[in-house]
C-alpha cells in the first residue's frame, strides 16, 4: 500500500539524512524499522507524513506512493486525510486538555464521533476511567496509550509509531505491543514501527528493515532477521552460545561494513 | 472615604469592567489559539469603531447595518493580518512574532490616521443618554436611602460585553472548532501531525479577534466618543488579561470586574491624592496579584513531569 522508492531527504538544503531508502508497508501488516540513533528512522517517517517541512527538510529525490498516489511533499494536513497518521516520538500530547479532548482532536480531521471513542476505550480500557483527567498528569504508560488511541481516532490506513516503548516498563511495553498487533489485525491497518527495542519489535512485526547512516542495510521477514547473526549481535545482544565475548573478536567495524556493500 | 458616593462608584466601576473584559477577550482569543500576545488589539478595536462610524455617519447607513458591516470588515482584516503578516513568520521565534504585532499596531494606527484623520468624531448614540436608571439601595446615609444613577449605555454595554464573553467562552469550550483552537495553540507540530489545518485555525482566531475588538470599540466609542486615542484602552486590558490569566476566558470577566472595581473604589476616596491614582490602580492590583500568582487567577499552570 505504501511504497518508498529510493528517496533522499535533505535538511536546510545541505544536510543529507536519507541516501536512497526504499521500503514498503502492505495492508494489515506490521513493518519494523530498526537502527541506531541517527540512522534516519524518524526522518523516514517524517518524509512519509509530510512533517519534514516544519523542520526545513525536503524529499529531493525518489518518490513516495500511497495507494497509487504520489504523496511526497504534500501538506501534512492532507496526508492525514489520505489515511496516514504519524504518532510522534516522546508521547506528545495536548497536555492541558483532558484525555477525551485529546482523543476527539485525533478524530477531528474526519469529524470525530462518540462511536470512535468507544473503539479506543475497547483497546485501552484504562483510558475510559481517566477520560476526564487532564492528560498532562497521566503516567508515561497511560500517555503512550493515549497517543496511540488518538492516532486510531483518525481511522488511518497506515499508522506510524515512533518508539512507543521509550522509557516504559517492559511489562507495559508488552501490553501496548499486544494491542498494536490486535489493532493492525482487526482494522486491517498497516503499521510501521520504529523501535530501539529490536527484540520486541521483531516479535510482533511481519517484516523488518534495518537502517544505518540513512540507508536500508538489511531487510527481510521478521522471523528470519531475528535469526540473523549480525542482528543477534548488534541489536539483540546475543553471541554464539558458550563462547566468551571479547571486544577483540567482535570486529565490529568489518561486519558493519559488509552490510553497506 | 466619601461614603455617600461609595455605592455609586462601586457599581459604576463594576459596569465599566464589562467593556474591559470584552477588550481583554480579544487578547485572550489570540493567545489561546496561537500563543501570541497581540499588541495590535487596541488598533483593531479603533479600526472597528472607525469602520462603524464611517458606514453610519459618512455613508449614511442605518446603525445596525453599519455595525454588521464593520464586523465583517474587521473579520476580513483579521484574516488578512494572519495571512500576510503572520503566516510568513511561522517557525520564527515567538519573540519576533510578538514584535511583529507591535509593528502591526503602529502600521494600523498610521492607516487609521491616513484614511480617517485624527479629528474627534461624534459617534452615533446607540442607547439614549436621557432617562438614566435610578436604583434605590438599602443603604441609609443621613437618614436618606442612597440612590445610584446608572447611565443606560453603561448598563447595556456591560450586558452586551458579558454576553459576548460568555458566547465566545461557550464556543471554545463546547464546539469542535474551539477544541481545535485550544489544541493548535499548545503544539503546532503535533496539531499538524493529527491533521489540524493550523493556518486556517489561526485565520479564524484572528477574524474572531477582529470581531470582538469591533464590538468593544463600538461600545466604548458610544460612551466616550471616538478619536485615535481610543486604542489606548488596551493598556487597561493588559492588567485584565494578566490578572485573569492569559488563557482564561472566565478570567477576563473576573479580571475586568476587579480592575473596574479597583478604579471605582479609588475614585470614591475623599482625598484627591488617592482619587487621582485611579489611572494607575489597575497596575497596582496587577503587581500584587502577579507576586502571589504569576500565572494570573485562572491561568494555566505549566504542567511539568519530572
Amino acid at each position: 500500500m505504501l511504497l518508498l522508492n529510493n528517496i533522499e531527504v535533505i535538511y536546510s538544503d545541505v544536510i543529507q539524512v536519507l541516501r536512497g531508502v526504499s521500503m514498503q508497508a502492505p495492508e494489515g501488516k506490521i513493518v519494523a524499522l530498526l537502527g541506531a540513533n541517527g540512522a534516519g528512522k524518524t526522518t523516514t517517517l517524517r518524509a512519509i507524513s509530510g512533517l519534514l517541512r516544519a523542520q526545513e527538510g525536503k524529499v529531493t529525490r525518489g518518490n513516495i506512493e500511497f495507494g497509487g498516489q504520489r504523496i511526497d511533499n504534500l501538506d501534512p494536513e492532507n496526508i492525514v486525510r489520505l489515511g496516514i497518521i504519524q504518532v510522534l516520538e516522546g508521547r506528545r500530547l495536548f497536555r492541558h486538555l483532558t484525555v477525551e479532548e485529546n482523543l476527539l482532536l485525533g478524530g477531528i480531521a474526519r469529524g470525530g464521533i462518540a462511536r470512535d471513542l468507544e473503539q479506543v476505550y475497547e483497546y485501552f480500557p484504562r483510558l475510559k476511567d481517566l477520560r476526564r483527567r487532564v492528560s498532562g498528569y497521566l503516567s508515561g504508560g497511560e500517555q503512550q496509550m493515549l497517543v496511540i488511541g488518538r492516532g486510531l481516532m483518525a481511522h488511518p490506513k497506515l499508522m506510524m509509531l515512533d518508539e512507543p516503548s521509550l522509557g516504559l516498563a517492559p511489562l507495559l511495553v508488552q501490553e501496548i505491543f499486544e494491542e498494536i498487533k490486535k489493532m493492525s489485525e482487526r482494522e486491517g491497518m498497516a503499521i510501521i514501527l520504529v523501535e530501539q527495542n529490536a527484540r520486541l519489535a521483531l516479535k510482533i512485526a511481519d517484516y523488518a528493515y534495518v537502517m544505518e547512516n540513512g540507508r536500508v542495510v538489511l531487510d527481510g521477514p521478521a522471523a528470519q532477521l531475528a535469526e540473523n547473526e549480525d542482528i543477534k549481535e548488534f541489536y539483540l545482544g546475543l553471541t554464539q552460545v558458550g563462547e566468551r565475548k571479547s571486544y577483540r573478536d567482535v570486529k565490529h567495524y568489518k561486519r558493519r561494513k559488509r552490510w553497506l556493500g | 472615604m466619601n461614603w455617600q458616593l461609595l455605592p455609586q462608584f462601586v457599581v459604576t466601576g463594576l459596569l465599566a469592567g464589562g467593556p474591559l473584559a470584552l477588550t481583554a477577550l480579544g487578547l485572550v482569543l489570540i493567545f489561546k489559539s496561537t500563543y501570541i500576545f497581540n499588541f495590535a488589539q487596541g488598533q483593531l478595536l479603533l479600526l472597528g469603531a472607525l469602520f462603524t462610524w464611517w458606514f453610519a455617519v459618512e455613508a449614511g447607513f442605518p446603525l445596525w447595518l453599519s455595525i454588521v458591516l464593520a464586523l465583517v470588515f474587521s473579520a476580513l482584516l483579521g484574516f488578512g493580518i494572519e495571512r500576510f503578516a503572520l503566516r510568513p513568520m511561522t517557525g520564527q521565534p515567538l519573540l519576533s512574532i510578538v514584535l511583529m504585532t507591535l509593528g502591526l499596531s503602529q502600521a494600523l494606527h498610521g492607516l487609521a490616521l491616513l484614511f480617517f484623520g485624527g479629528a474627534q468624531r461624534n459617534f452615533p448614540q446607540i442607547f439614549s443618554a436621557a432617562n438614566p436608571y435610578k436604583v434605590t439601595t438599602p443603604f441609609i446615609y443621613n437618614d436618606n436611602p442612597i440612590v445610584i444613577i446608572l447611565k443606560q449605555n453603561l448598563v447595556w454595554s456591560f450586558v452586551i460585553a458579558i454576553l459576548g464573553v460568555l458566547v465566545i467562552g461557550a464556543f471554545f469550550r463546547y464546539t469542535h472548532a474551539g477544541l481545535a483552537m485550544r489544541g493548535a495553540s499548545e503544539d503546532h507540530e503535533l496539531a499538524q501531525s493529527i491533521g489540524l489545518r493550523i493556518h486556517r485555525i489561526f485565520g479564524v482566531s484572528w477574524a474572531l479577534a477582529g470581531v470582538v475588538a469591533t464590538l468593544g470599540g463600538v461600545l466604548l466609542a458610544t460612551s466616550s466618543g471616538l478619536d485615535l486615542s481610543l486604542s489606548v484602552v488596551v493598556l487597561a486590558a493588559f492588567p485584565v488579561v494578566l490578572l485573569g490569566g492569559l488563557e482564561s476566558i472566565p478570567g477576563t470577566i473576573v479580571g475586568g470586574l476587579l480592575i473596574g472595581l479597583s478604579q471605582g473604589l479609588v475614585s470614591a476616596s475623599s482625598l484627591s491624592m488617592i482619587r487621582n491614582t485611579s489611572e494607575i490602580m489597575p497596575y497596582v492590583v496587577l503587581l500584587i496579584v502577579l507576586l502571589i500568582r504569576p500565572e494570573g487567577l485562572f491561568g494555566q499552570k505549566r504542567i511539568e513531569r519530572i
Side-chain angles (χ1 to χ4, degrees), chain A residues 7-21 36-47 52 55-60 211-216:
Chain A
I7 60 164
E8 287 187 5
V9 165
I10 293 182
Y11 280 116
S12 312
D13 293 330
V14 278
I15 308 157
Q16 186 171 16
V17 187
L18 297 190
R19 308 153 198 274
V21 172
N37 289 326
K41 301 171 305 230
T42 300
T43 301
T44 307
L45 295 195
R46 285 181 176 273
L52 268 184
Q55 305 190 322
E56 308 208 353
K58 250 201 317 232
V59 178
T60 51
M211 288 186 73
E212 227 172 87
N213 286 323
R215 287 193 179 86
V216 172

Side-chain angles (χ1 to χ4, degrees), chain A residues 226-253:
Chain A
E227 293 305 312
N228 182 301
E229 293 300 323
D230 291 331
I231 294 284
K232 270 191 196 168
E233 185 162 336
F234 295 136
Y235 292 101
L236 306 182
L238 302 172
T239 44
Q240 268 94 4
V241 189
E243 252 177 66
R244 260 186 93 179
K245 185 156 176 150
S246 143
Y247 281 107
R248 212 169 33 188
D249 301 335
V250 173
K251 290 185 197 146
H252 190 261
Y253 179 71

Side-chain angles (χ1 to χ4, degrees), chain A residues 46 51 76-78 80-81 92-96 101 104-105 108 112 134 136-140 143 150, chain B residues 173 176 179-180 182-184 186-187 189-198 300-305:
Chain A
R46 285 181 176 273
L51 286 173
E77 296 96 302
N78 295 325
V80 168
R81 280 169 178 77
R92 297 261 289 269
L93 0 103
F94 300 105
R95 291 191 291 180
H96 291 102
E101 284 171 335
L104 282 174
L105 270 177
I108 233 172
V134 172
Y137 295 119
L138 300 186
S139 76
Q143 292 190 344
R150 190 179 57 205
Chain B
R173 187 89 191 72
H176 276 182
L179 180 60
R182 283 186 285 156
E186 226 177 278
D187 189 334
E189 189 186 43
L190 176 57
Q192 275 192 311
S193 84
I194 61 167
L196 298 184
R197 299 184 192 277
I198 55 171
Q300 279 172 349
K301 274 216 166 104
R302 269 228 154 77
I303 298 178
E304 305 270 0
R305 297 186 76 245

Side-chain angles (χ1 to χ4, degrees), chain B residues 7-20:
Chain B
Q8 171 80 51
F9 277 116
V10 166
V11 175
T12 325
L14 285 175
L15 290 180
L20 271 185

